[in-house]
Amino acid sequence: SYPFAQPGNYEYVTAVMDNTQHRIQMLFQGEAEGKRYLSWFVFDLNQYQWTGSVKTAEVSKAIGDAYAFSQGDGSLLIFTAQESASIHSIHIPDMEEASVGESEIVSGDNILCDAYMDRSGVFHLLYKQENAIYHYVSGRASKLDIDAGADVRMVQDKDGGYAILAMQRNENAA
């Protein structure tokens, strides 16, 4: 069960497709008695049914813009905290257990532009901070030579090379 079951006390966060185990993970957040919670359900595409019961863990931050990635038996959620606009992660090591690990990735006032998990399982963040765009990977952030007014996305080609796509909001795609 989950403590915020009353209508209007929870909101959808995101869904994650687990291609390895053929499952869909649905994540929701809510608040009850002054505490924040993250809950998840798992749908098995092989058996075409929900597995087990809903799992719920207390979390410290309200989840804003979010990206989620399937990792082995669990998931990784990258998000902007609603309270502070800092960028955080929540790791769910096992979707069948109600436990999570939380950490702050980037402090300060940020806009999360993109989160990308490469083929090796390494995650990359693109974010805006103080009128600049940064690329974060493996614990290090690098300022990019891209106009801060651009929308940015990261891609990886079939040979493993990376590219960051940037497009101004008010211009047509070329």
Side-chain angles (χ1 to χ4, degrees):
S1 70
Y2 45 105
F4 52 88
Q6 300 299 321
N9 285 359
Y10 62 92
E11 63 183 272
Y12 171 77
V13 173
T14 193
V16 183
M17 182 65 193
D18 178 348
N19 289 321
T20 304
Q21 298 185 46
H22 306 287
R23 303 186 313 181
I24 300 171
Q25 305 160 358
M26 303 291 294
L27 290 89
F28 295 83
Q29 70 175 331
E31 186 174 335
E33 299 177 8
K35 296 180 180 179
R36 302 253 7 131
Y37 295 94
L38 178 67
S39 291
W40 56 91
F41 306 83
V42 177
F43 187 81
D44 186 317
L45 291 167
N46 292 322
Q47 298 179 13
Y48 218 70
Q49 66 183 10
W50 295 101
T51 64
S53 61
V54 63
K55 304 297 185 248
T56 299
E58 187 175 340
V59 295
S60 63
K61 303 288 182 194
I63 298 166
D65 294 333
Y67 295 84
F69 305 93
S70 175
Q71 289 188 310
D73 289 336
S75 280
L76 177 66
L77 181 67
I78 307 294
F79 67 96
T80 304
Q82 289 179 1
E83 304 93 323
S84 64
S86 54
I87 300 173
H88 292 257
S89 70
I90 293 177
H91 180 239
I92 305 169
D94 185 342
M95 297 303 288
E96 302 301 322
E97 299 293 328
S99 68
V100 299
E102 294 182 71
S103 63
E104 181 179 73
I105 300 171
V106 181
S107 63
D109 188 17
N110 304 288
I111 298 171
L112 181 57
C113 302
D114 196 15
Y116 184 83
M117 181 77 66
D118 68 22
R119 286 191 207 138
S120 301
V122 175
F123 81 90
H124 302 254
L125 299 178
L126 296 175
Y127 64 95
K128 294 180 187 179
Q129 185 181 68
E130 298 176 7
N131 294 318
I133 296 177
Y134 292 85
H135 173 224
Y136 174 96
V137 63
S138 301
R140 295 180 37 194
S142 302
K143 186 176 177 180
L144 301 177
D145 187 22
I146 296 174
D147 180 13
D151 286 333
V152 291
R153 296 290 180 265
M154 186 164 200
V155 295
Q156 186 175 23
D157 66 25
K158 64 180 177 140
D159 297 323
Y162 300 102
I164 296 174
L165 309 176
M167 186 175 82
Q168 294 297 324
R169 285 183 182 251
N170 298 326
E171 295 180 13
N172 293 328

